[in-house]
Amino acid sequence: MSHAMVIAFDEGRLDWKHLMGGKGANLAEMTRAGLPVPPGFTITTAACLQYYDADRTMTREQKNEIASALSALEKRSGKKLGDPNDPLLVSVRSGAVISMPGMMDTVLNLGLNDRTVEGLEKLTGNARFARDCYRRFIQMFGDVVLGIPHYRFERVIDAKKKERGVDLDTDLTAEDWVEVTRSFKELVREETGEAFPQDPVDQLHRAIVAVFDSWNNQRARVYRKVHQIPDDLGTAVNVQMMVFGNMGEDSGTGVAFTRNPSTGEKVLYGEYLINAQGEDVVAGIRTPEPIAALADRMPDIYDSFVDIAARLETHYQDMQDIEFTVERGKLYILQTRSGKRTAHAAVKIAVDLVAEGVISREEAINRVDPDQLDQILHRRIDPEADLEVLAKGLPASPGAASGQVVFDADTAERWAQAGKKVLLVRLETTPEDIHGIVAAQGVLTTRGGMTSHAAVVARGMGKPCICGCEEIKIDLKKKEIRVENQVLTEGDELSIDGGSGRVIGGKVPLIDPELSSEFQQLLAWADEVRKLRVRTNADNPVDASKAREFGAEGIGLCRTEHMFMDPERVPKVRSMILAETTEDREQALEALLPLQRDDFHGIFRAMDGLPVTIRLLDPPLHEFLPNLEELQMEVARLQAKGDTDPRELREKEALLRQVRALHEFNPMLGHRGCRLGLTHPEIYAMQVEAIFQAASQAMSEGITVKPEIMIPLVGHVNELKEMRELVEQVAQKVQTTAAVDIPFTVGTMIEVPRAALTAGEIAKSADFFSFGTNDLTQTTFGYSRDDAEGKFLHHYMERKILPENPFITLDREGVGLLVSMGVNEGRMVKTDLKTGICGEHGGEKRSIHFCHEVGLDYVSCSPFRVPLARLASAQAALTEREEVAGTTS
Amino acid sequence: MSHAMVIAFDEGRLDWKHLMGGKGANLAEMTRAGLPVPPGFTITTAACLQYYDADRTMTREQKNEIASALSALEKRSGKKLGDPNDPLLVSVRSGAVISMPGMMDTVLNLGLNDRTVEGLEKLTGNARFARDCYRRFIQMFGDVVLGIPHYRFERVIDAKKKERGVDLDTDLTAEDWVEVTRSFKELVREETGEAFPQDPVDQLHRAIVAVFDSWNNQRARVYRKVHQIPDDLGTAVNVQMMVFGNMGEDSGTGVAFTRNPSTGEKVLYGEYLINAQGEDVVAGIRTPEPIAALADRMPDIYDSFVDIAARLETHYQDMQDIEFTVERGKLYILQTRSGKRTAHAAVKIAVDLVAEGVISREEAINRVDPDQLDQILHRRIDPEADLEVLAKGLPASPGAASGQVVFDADTAERWAQAGKKVLLVRLETTPEDIHGIVAAQGVLTTRGGMTSHAAVVARGMGKPCICGCEEIKIDLKKKEIRVENQVLTEGDELSIDGGSGRVIGGKVPLIDPELSSEFQQLLAWADEVRKLRVRTNADNPVDASKAREFGAEGIGLCRTEHMFMDPERVPKVRSMILAETTEDREQALEALLPLQRDDFHGIFRAMDGLPVTIRLLDPPLHEFLPNLEELQMEVARLQAKGDTDPRELREKEALLRQVRALHEFNPMLGHRGCRLGLTHPEIYAMQVEAIFQAASQAMSEGITVKPEIMIPLVGHVNELKEMRELVEQVAQKVQTTAAVDIPFTVGTMIEVPRAALTAGEIAKSADFFSFGTNDLTQTTFGYSRDDAEGKFLHHYMERKILPENPFITLDREGVGLLVSMGVNEGRMVKTDLKTGICGEHGGEKRSIHFCHEVGLDYVSCSPFRVPLARLASAQAALTEREEVAGTTS
């Protein structure tokens, strides 16, 4: 079967999805299940790949197979393609293995020509319908196959409406459409130099080729990049008998989800339009009615749809996204697929399906994509905040976003690349806007419903979105919005709350999310499965408590430098740095000691009973001083001015000299981490003293402390040896003074390649390794993250020079090799060496899988990523189980 | 024998050097050979280590062994320690396994006390001699054992001379010395609270302990660091019967080399002083007479010394450095050792010894330390230059040096650390000055001879040195020099030519060195033995030719950016960088193309028949633009001034914006290397076009070209793949146009860890790997060399946190592991992959050994290091041979 070029729906199977694509396989499945699916056949992904292999030509074999599938379809439908008396009309739709909604091309009403349109008219007795179909076909074929811009056709229609003095397409008559069609055909001749093709088989072949080609259009490529879908899968093409939702008031079309894709609630959720074709709903040109209203309008249809929806959900064991059409009172199912959903909905649906006995706990764990969780774990608008609500739209994708208003996708992308946060505001979005949606914090449209393009895409990406906010008037020419009595121009701040549909003026204050009971349940199941422990990166008691709430089992990285950044402390820190003698420095440090002690004390309280890894000071000292450039400019200005106070100038000049002395060419590779600890042991000594004093105080309050002192940036075991000695000396001193016995360990970050390469040596002096994979990625690649992301990494991702951004997903071949060398060499020397990761990778799905595979003890991530890490760890463990089962079976 | 604590000279053997130290083993060897060596015994390094193990106490066992060795010595000499009638006097000297001349302590004349001094007087009938010896002993013992500063004793003598109205020590009488001795003893009581020790055995034990302790004095530690001698060897102590060169006009003392240690000429070379003790010669207090003069003064002694010197050289198969003393007409040999020599002398002596049939060619190769070759391979003063010769001194160590005058070692060190080049000017140097000599470009003293401390130490380090330049008057208080009619103060520029003894005003122009015929011979032998090929790093035809003269077998690294730095080209380069469109950039590049073509053409000519590895542009573009800081200051000044031309300001502001846009936080890890080539392929395309046009032109002139195009900073194989494609396309184009077939290869630098870690993948697209170990060291350690060396590496070396500076000697455990992984993985995929190294390590002895061991094909180094690399490669091959022989025998 692996090379089948064409498969009829009634011969296909769901598990041929790799060949038939998602849509085709589902149509086949539904057909076999006896659902009312219009007949048709699928041209497979194998055919698509063969087409590309043959330099974008259809082979004779393909054409032959299509011809015989077509005759079978003609037989089954009782109609013939091109038969003027009873013409078969078909839709030609893309259908990739992994769904890419709206990204590729579709041609509807294919088979119409100057003669069959008359047959259709006679057959249906509906001239307006037939003429409308024909003009739609020419328009779509012209756009998709012939490459004539859509707006060229729209202009013709607009001219006709103007001429007729009407506003809506539906106000145009059959005669009007005949004239429009005539103009369309002229337009085609003008643009292509040829007449509009009248041979339906020729039409079909060309439409199929256009769909194949659309696999590689720009928006499809961007979508695949965003969703990390391989480029070499190709798309299938589905040829299906047309059914018509636009045959009058007893016809219609709609889209529905078997559960609410936003909240997960078990209720049919969708929209329909009477007397319309499918694309009218999706494109958001008319705002549709909610599906529930169908119960009143077409009760029988509604009931049988409800019944079919339930059957489909049970059959697929998942929430379904179903397209249907009613043609003159008869219901057809055009498509079903697993519905895109928000993270919140994904969690609720998965847990509910377990409760309903449909899926197992393990399946539930695998049903939620950790990447999506960002959505629910991100902050939302503070309900206490005083908001200036400007308007309300449809709550199409939950979450809050603030940003500068932009009106087109290109600007959104450009501004975002320049580091701005933008909010994309559009009348409606189209697949061409995809790069703008990627770049924006959120999307706001003034037209379209909950299943419109903007809504579907935004939900898929977890971006806040409001649709159909008609109170807002957009003036694209002036680049401004009018709402209430306000005028906002491009660049003004605006916020949206995609969960409530509120459009809010200015920036909004955000608060922490809470976990739903379903989410708690899912994570509890995950905890039973996972092997990796999950810790958090937290520098203060508030974050620590939050993370603990989210299930963190300790702190994997407590950065002590943030404690130095507190504006009140900065003067003390500076006087410490600028001290000219060790004595002066020690005096300044003494002033900092009680402050640091309080920091640690609060953290120990928050983490009672759990381990807390504290990293001693890491950044170069100049980070705490005034910026060199600014200071320089200031001095230059003071020098140039005639009336400067000479004393002020002298002081600034002196400060400048000191800042310059500490300045570094490559601070990332400079005098920081344990290099500082070695040249300025008094700083580390103060920090260690503060840690142990705090621990001792906490213990006296009945708190269980487990401090783990972490020495940063070790590259040679001798660095760790000396620092360990210092830690132990100071710890001994504090313990003796306080007469307590504090259990503690000393370990190191593995964050430069040399540390990983010599891990065996380093392990001799370390109780634990924590892989700092951010710095390790920087040094292994030789990339400065600050420079790379702005200067060339973007280009690298675009050109696929790197398969992924290594700062987001851990690079297995390079950085990963060092990590596994580090773990293995380290454990060879010390079997009970504790190992973890504390870079941002510790909160990223695929990197967590890697951490599980190399057998780390824990991952540590930011508090809001702790639930994600718990889930991803469980999935990693389940994957391993499956693989083990696979190899043993 | 391995734990022997004490060994008498007549029982010892040369090959017990590890136990007896160099001096002791040689004394034993000479004693066994029947040479006139004063009897004595050695307290071994094992005893020293035991002493340290026992917390710096002598064990009872050690004292017992010393006691029995002492009685044997008393028996042999016929004298008794402390016998008032015929007292045995001994010297107590350090003697390490690896010679550390002058770094440790010595006590002479031990055994004298208030009673034995009278016995000595009676026995010799020379009151002045006896009293002089006693005061010398108290002075030395007081300094070395009791820790009383030397100058405290000197002040007493000065006061006495003033009192007597005399200038020289020799003008003081026996009676004067008696009084001086009395004052010395008072000084000792004052300083130590105890009487000067009168018990000779107690004196002996304390002197031995002081010598043990001197192993760890500061200057010895610095010396070991400089000469990379392990700290845990310990020193032996030699106790030897005193003989006296200061017993009158028929006595004397001297030092001589069997060949000239500066030129290698086969002629006795040395100095002596009549009526003096050994330290008078070495300390440079009196300027001695040349050894040849002894032939007239003491012809018999001279003849027998010449005879002994010849025997010693033959016996040790190497040039010897011999200390002798004449006591009342009898010659004694006090020490012999392999003489320190300049590189020039080392080469000549090694080659001459082969000619004389004394040693083999292989031994000759191993006799010359490649580290030393820097001396002869460095530039010397242009003989055509118009020099202002201020004075002439003794040519104590060859080579030319310019620097700012400093008058003490601490200032020399401080200034050198601040990046200044300094010339150390001293009356005479002492072992306390060692850190200043290390820091200085060269040394100039106004007193002392060719064998003075300054001369010996400077020769050992290969630093230019002039001694005994009495025309120069130093005023230490004013920190100035007077010479001719000039006054130079601290910080003024001065130059010395250590080969001619000329002191020259200001800085001097230098020219390239030439290789002596002996050196050519030695290198020819080396070439027969070595396996590594030796290439050079050269960016222009002049350097390329020079390197070829020195034996380079190709160019391993031709950096193309230096060609961009030419001041005439900078405007063109800048307009290329600042171009706002690709078209503008291409136009600017077109202007650069012919210039680059000429560069490469010249290099191909110079390297006719040899491979030339050309690295495409590597540094970030902002390196070619004005400095951000300066530009910023300028703009700030222009902005602050009231009367600035607004157009000028606008232009500067625009330039500033562009410079800022290109600015990077960590340029070392930024947008450079192939990252530039990938985002700006037009730059690389221009360079490749220039290379192939030049190659084609050269071929048409009958030149054989072997271009190897090197892509820098590859971290992922895809980077190389794309760049390789670009190179091949452009190469194809040029070859088609010119109708030539140019043989070329494409490879990459391995200079970030990821490249080494994924070398197997990268090798698929590479014809060669060139390890850029400077950058690889930076990224593997996470050190920015620019920052590390100034900020913390110094501290790391001092504290031995790192065993070596990894930028000088390749770090085997970390960077080396990556190199060997890279070579192995690469060859696994491509067996004929060519591998080399082009970092500075390619010209460093121990790193070259490493390159040989991992089986690289070649090393590449700067032209002046090519001979060094040839020699070091040969030594590496010989070491391997010995190891193979060792394992098979």
Side-chain angles (χ1 to χ4, degrees), chain A residues 40-59:
Chain A
F41 56 87
T42 301
I43 299 148
T44 64
T45 54
C48 177
L49 298 179
Q50 198 182 59
Y51 164 81
Y52 276 105
D53 278 350
D55 282 333
R56 300 201 177 204
T57 44
M58 268 169 80
T59 62

Side-chain angles (χ1 to χ4, degrees), chain B residues 739-756:
Chain B
V740 286
D741 192 12
I742 301 168
F744 71 96
T745 58
V746 181
T748 182
M749 295 275 276
I750 303 288
E751 51 186 334
V752 296
R754 198 181 187 285

